[in-house]
Amino acid sequence: MTLLDEAHRRLLRWRPGSGRPQPVPLAINGTIADLSVGEDGSVYVLETTSLDGGPPVLRRFAPDGREMGLVRLRDRTSSQLRLGPEGPVALQYPSAQWMPLGRGGHELGRLAQAAGGKAGRPAAGGREVVVWHQADEVRVALVGARGVAQAWRVTSATPLGEVQLAEPYGAGLVVVLRVYEEGRDEFEVLVLDRRGLVGRFSLDSADWAETAPLSRFRLVGSSLYQLGSTAEGLFVDRYDLEVTR
C-alpha cells in the first residue's frame, strides 16, 4: 500500500507483512495533491496548487523517488488523477474534460492534452466512464466504440455531493457518492450491473484531516479502499465487495 504524505513531501509505503511504512522522499511542493501508482511502480503526483501561480503540475517519479518528468496542465485547475490504459489522465477545469498527460512514457504538452480531451475517462478494453451530476441525481455510463454499452440513473431524496469514485467492476460499475443530511454527511457505495443496483452500504465520511477532495477511495480487484482520518491519525479501511452481490 502506498500513501502520499504531501505535507512532509514523502511517500509512505507498506510492504506485505510489514508493521511500519518505508518513507520515500519526493521533490514536491507540499500542497494538496492526488496520487496514482503504475504497475511498474512509477509514482505520479498531481499537485493541484502550483507555487509559481501557474496551472497545476504532474510530477513523475521512479519507485525510489527519483524525479523522472514534469507536465504543466492545460487548464487552470484539476480535481482528479487516474492512470488510463495509455498513461496518466486528469480531470481538468474549466473544460471539465479528462485530458491525457502522458503516453508511452512521454509527457504531453498543453496542445496535445487539449486534442485528446474527452468527457469520459479512459478505462480498460477501449471503454470510457462518463459521469453527469446535479443536486439530487447522478447518471453514469460505460461507453464503448459502438456507443453507450450500459447506463444507470441514481436519484436521492437528500442532496448529493461529489462523485468520489466511478470504476468498472465486472460487468458494471462501483460508484461512491457523498450524501448530505442535516448536520452530517456520509459516503454511499453503490454496486451496479445489468440488473441495476445489486449492492449498497454506507460509510462514515471520516475526514478530520485535509486531503485532495476526490482521493479518498480506490478500487483494486474486488476490494474497495477508503482513506480516512480522525484526531488520532489516519487509517485505510478495506471492504470486500463480493459480499454485496
Side-chain angles (χ1 to χ4, degrees), residues 54-225:
V57 296
L58 175 75
R59 301 183 189 274
R60 180 167 63 96
F61 300 91
D64 62 2
R66 289 178 293 116
E67 187 165 5
M68 303 296 289
L70 180 146
V71 181
R72 290 189 179 274
L73 273 62
R74 179 183 184 276
D75 283 2
R76 63 176 177 264
T77 61
S78 182
S79 63
Q80 278 184 296
L81 171 69
R82 292 292 186 269
L83 290 182
E86 297 185 347
V89 295
L91 182 58
Q92 302 190 36
Y93 293 97
S95 67
Q97 289 189 324
W98 286 95
M99 296 190 189
L101 305 180
R103 187 175 294 123
H106 300 286
E107 291 79 19
L108 297 180
R110 296 183 184 182
L111 291 179
Q113 294 176 38
K118 296 182 179 181
R121 178 173 61 82
R127 300 177 297 175
E128 295 179 2
V129 179
V130 179
V131 178
W132 179 87
H133 171 225
Q134 64 176 16
D136 59 355
E137 180 180 348
V138 170
R139 299 183 187 186
V140 292
L142 282 171
V143 180
R146 298 183 179 180
V148 176
Q150 296 184 75
W152 300 265
R153 177 173 177 259
V154 180
T155 60
S156 174
T158 55
L160 295 174
E162 73 275 4
V163 180
Q164 279 278 329
L165 186 82
E167 288 286 346
Y169 176 59
L173 286 172
V174 172
V175 177
V176 181
L177 308 169
R178 190 191 290 264
V179 181
Y180 290 89
E181 297 178 345
E182 182 83 27
R184 66 184 296 268
D185 68 293
E186 63 183 14
F187 293 117
E188 195 76 16
V189 180
L190 309 177
V191 182
L192 309 170
D193 71 7
R194 297 182 185 278
R195 296 166 290 171
L197 179 65
V198 295
R200 65 179 294 182
F201 56 94
S202 299
L203 300 173
D204 189 272
S205 58
D207 53 2
W208 184 83
E210 191 173 47
T211 66
L214 301 179
S215 66
R216 301 181 186 280
F217 291 89
R218 291 291 189 270
L219 181 66
V220 181
S222 62
S223 296
L224 179 70
Y225 294 83

